[in-house]
Amino acid sequence: MQYREYQTDDIPPNQAASELAGPWMRLIAVIIDILIYAGVSIIAAIVGLLLFPDDTVFRSDDMGTEANVGFIILVVGAAIITLIVQWVLLGTRGQTIGKIAMKIRIVDAQTGAHPGWPRLVLLRAIVNGILTGIPFLGFVYFLVDSLFIFRPDHRTIHDLYSGTRVDKL
């Protein structure tokens, strides 16, 4: 899908070309994305338990730990597929499923245009995920990054280093 720029007929005469998404809209979009990941994982786990009814999904004994490999592949595979779908949407539309539901999207902070896949997926999603995953420091980064949303421009740290902002559609 082509990234659709704002059209002049989309904008009422008394409204600016772009309006920043508020912190609560962004938070709800993230919660929707988290619920989607959790829902897909739970459904995959239930399907895995039905497909692999062996009672040794995970069992530890004197010989070591056994795991039902089919179950693990199914659950991890479902999570990876969900992640890829989100990244494709992010790279092509500037939106995740949560942002689509909230009618907001990520744009270049200067031009309002599509920022491009490297900035959206590599910087905003992957680098931000790596920084958040660092033990202890990742929690501090996540907290500070999240609190930046209350700035007047509602831009987080990952918005600043990727040169993006989140606008209402």
Side-chain angles (χ1 to χ4, degrees):
M1 175 179 269
Q2 184 77 18
Y3 199 77
R4 186 172 173 266
E5 299 298 329
Y6 287 112
Q7 304 295 319
T8 55
D9 57 341
D10 291 344
I11 304 165
N14 60 351
Q15 185 178 346
S18 66
E19 185 179 347
L20 292 173
W24 298 113
M25 292 178 81
R26 292 183 67 172
L27 176 64
I28 293 169
V30 169
I31 290 170
I32 291 169
D33 289 334
I34 290 169
L35 290 174
I36 288 169
Y37 286 116
V40 167
S41 296
I42 289 168
I43 291 169
I46 291 169
V47 169
L49 290 172
L50 294 173
L51 289 177
F52 308 104
D54 187 347
D55 61 351
T56 60
V57 172
F58 296 102
R59 179 183 67 187
S60 181
D61 57 19
D62 294 337
M63 301 300 283
T65 301
E66 286 186 29
N68 187 323
V69 176
F71 175 85
I72 293 170
I73 290 172
L74 183 66
V75 173
V76 172
I80 290 171
I81 289 169
T82 306
L83 188 65
I84 290 169
V85 167
Q86 291 280 56
W87 285 355
V88 167
L89 288 171
L90 196 58
T92 58
R93 299 174 54 127
Q95 297 174 292
T96 59
I97 295 170
K99 285 179 177 56
I100 292 169
M102 294 306 298
K103 295 182 173 38
I104 59 178
R105 73 171 170 191
I106 303 165
V107 298
D108 182 277
Q110 300 298 318
T111 66
H114 187 279
W117 190 88
R119 285 171 46 200
L120 287 172
V121 177
L122 294 177
L123 285 178
R124 284 185 58 98
I126 296 174
V127 170
N128 195 51
I130 291 169
L131 290 173
T132 304
I134 299 170
F136 180 70
L137 291 177
F139 175 74
V140 173
Y141 166 76
F142 171 76
L143 184 61
V144 173
D145 184 49
S146 298
L147 291 174
F148 263 57
I149 203 162
F150 295 106
R151 294 166 22 119
D153 64 359
H154 304 302
R155 292 177 70 201
T156 60
I157 293 172
H158 63 273
D159 286 320
L160 294 171
Y161 69 69
S162 63
T164 60
R165 69 175 190 255
V166 180
D167 285 354
K168 293 180 184 179
L169 288 179

